[in-house]
Amino acid sequence: METIKVLILEHDPNDLELLQYALRKSDLTYTSEVVANKKEYEQALVSFDPDIILSDYSLPSFDGLTAYCIKQKVLPNVPFIVVSGTIGEENAVELIKMGITDYVLKEKMYQVIPKIQRALREAAERAKIKQAEREIADRNERIENILESITEGFIALDNNWRVTYWNKTAEDLLGRKREDIMGKYVWDEYENATNFYSEYQRVIAEQTSSVFEEYFAPLGKWIQVSAYPSKDGISIFFRDITESRRQEAMRRLENEVLELYTKPGSSIEETIEHMLNGVKEIHPELLCSTLKVKNGKLFYWAFSHLPKSFIDETDGRMIAIGEGTCGTAALMNRKVVVTDIASGTLLPRYMDIAEKYGIRASISYPFNDPYRNVLGTFSVCLKTARDLSEAEEKTLETVKQILQHILENHIAETALKESEEKYSRLFNENPMPMWVFDPDTLGFLSVNEAAIRHYGYSREEFMNMTIRDIRPKDSVKKVERTVTASKEIGSVYQGVFDHLKKNGELIKVAINGSAIPLGEKMARLVLVNDITEKLRAEKAIELSEKRFKALVQEGSDLISVMDLNGNYKYASPALVALIGADPERISEVNGLLHVHPGDRKRVADDLVGVAAQKRAQTAPFRFKAGNGEYRWLEFIGTNLLDDPAINGIVVNSKDVTERINYIQAIESQNSRLREIAWIQSHIVRAPLARIMGLIDLVKNYQGQYDSQAELLEHILTSAHELDDVIRQIVKKTERVKTLEDENQSISS
């Protein structure tokens, strides 16, 4: 037996004891909680979550009616019984009317257990009823949700053909809101749907289901219907199958077009006409045509849906903006749409023609070759001013893809034919030997004229030979392995082989082979390049390079090979040591960057001048060595740019630092000698002239001076000056002698 939870609201201990005694004496399985005030009561409603409440009517802080109202907010379905000795019969009846479950007078406490049991039974029954109601409501809601969520339209009609249900999909498919159709006689609303009416009558009369497809003219759609009889009328499920029927028709048309295209003897024009007729059957309002580009103009290719007179007036339009949607689409290489020709700006020259033939809208798509070059346009005309529907857009997109596919194949087939003819010419007229052989038998299948001339065999002789016959005997196994490997790992192979001419001459050839289809099997096409002379020339160049490098490596000269920008292509060991560079990375060094900035432009000009003069010599210039010091160099440059072994300017440099230093020393010595001569000719003469003048006074003018001693003093002073000058000359002469000794040492 389930344990019930009893919440007791009582403040009087004596009354509480009576109530608890009655509960203990009963056969109820219960647990209880006692509260005495409003706060405890509100907490217990949540924490204890009682199955039934027993409440005193009169409480110190509040009353039983308030307690009931509080309970209703928290636990509205829990029974509430008032147990009181002061309530009175009339108040008790009023409480019952207000919703309290029951009441028990304290002097009739024996009634409390039966009333508790009855209250619990009634609560359980109410709970079951509510659960059933919820289940019914849930079921109805689920059914309605299903009917509203299904992708099919659903309509329910009663036996009088009045609408009792109309789901959201039905609103969308039939264009009628539920509130506008509910309760109405359906055949008043859709009086033209006679085919549907007769089938629904049969479903109700025979009480049988029916599934059928019918065209619904008011909406221009194909509808698939599933109708089921019911006791109240008929249930109808339906869906729009217009798109699926369109897709089916397009699949059928696509298959027919591709089958026709591959049919022997059919033309591409016939195939395109069939495709346009198929579009017309699917969408009668679309007037389709195709135009192709020729000499910068568009000419009609297939146009069965347009009047011949209209074609005559619009054929040969230019590819340009304003030349209709076709001319504009071809120029811009994209789809062009004019939904109302009368108000459009793309068709000024064609407005009168369009008006004359009732054309109101036009759409054009370009179609291209694999390189995105415009080949022509696919055009659609409408006799109503509107845009294309979604279904029409899908159809035309599919048609455009089919047309693109057909044209690409047509172009490829045409190109293949031209390629085969071109291949035949290239093969036979190629100046290099070529042949085709069977990889299984190794027999020659075809040879060109160059092979016949080069190898000396006639065409008939070649046709009776295998590729083994033009190999030395010791290389036959190699060629057999090469052919076998090419069949296993791929169709392309290449290599260098020994071949024999008819006259016995042995030649080296570079072979390039590839697989080509020939009938029902794969053959091998071979291109032969005789590299015998090339190898000899390369060998000669290699030997020349080795001799050149040997000469340079063994010498101590500063030799290099440079380009016109001063970048080293080669440098001798002596030059590498001077620069202080890594020999392996000398090609990353620019020699001009080592030239002193003051000399760099002159040296660069001299280097460029070598290219024009073939050979040129530069004046000495400063060159920065690896230790940071500048050395004086001069070079002779030789232009060997045309020599395949050198391919650069050979620069033979010479270190002339000591020579420059010697010249500078001589120039310094000469400067000092000039200084001594100047001293002798200018400074010595001054005191000497004074001495000579004073001596003349002593000899010729004796007695005219008061003091002979004064004259002697002047003579002595001038003599000292002369002595100082002579000493300076001696010192400078000694310095010049030292420089001479040094220069002799340098020159020796």
Side-chain angles (χ1 to χ4, degrees), residues 535-567:
L535 292 177
R536 289 172 183 166
E538 289 176 352
K539 188 67 176 177
I541 291 172
E542 182 182 355
L543 291 173
S544 176
E545 287 180 347
K546 287 181 179 179
R547 287 196 297 271
F548 168 76
K549 289 184 178 179
L551 289 173
V552 172
Q553 298 285 5
E554 293 171 2
S556 60
D557 287 347
L558 306 176
I559 298 176
S560 63
V561 178
M562 310 175 79
D563 63 18
L564 291 176
N565 296 317
N567 298 307

Side-chain angles (χ1 to χ4, degrees), residues 267-277 286-293 298-308 310-311 314-315 317 326 367 376-381 399 403 407:
S267 66
I268 189 170
E269 290 78 10
E270 181 182 1
T271 302
I272 294 175
E273 283 285 355
H274 185 82
M275 182 178 67
L276 299 186
N277 289 332
L286 303 184
L287 306 176
C288 303
S289 61
T290 55
L291 300 89
K292 60 182 175 181
V293 174
L298 288 168
F299 296 89
Y300 282 97
W301 200 0
F303 49 86
S304 59
H305 305 147
L306 292 169
K308 181 64 167 59
F310 176 82
I311 300 300
T314 57
D315 201 21
R317 68 190 70 178
C326 289
F367 53 83
T377 61
F378 174 55
S379 176
V380 179
C381 294
V399 169
L403 179 63
L407 291 173

Side-chain angles (χ1 to χ4, degrees), residues 155-164 181-189 197 200-201 204 230-236:
I155 297 172
L157 305 176
D158 63 16
N159 289 318
N160 296 316
W161 303 107
R162 295 191 180 278
V163 178
T164 59
I181 197 71
M182 290 293 288
K184 293 186 177 180
Y185 184 66
V186 71
W187 306 120
D188 286 343
E189 304 300 317
Y197 176 78
Y200 294 161
Q201 285 278 21
I204 292 177
S230 68
K231 65 177 182 177
D232 298 324
I234 185 171
S235 298
I236 303 167

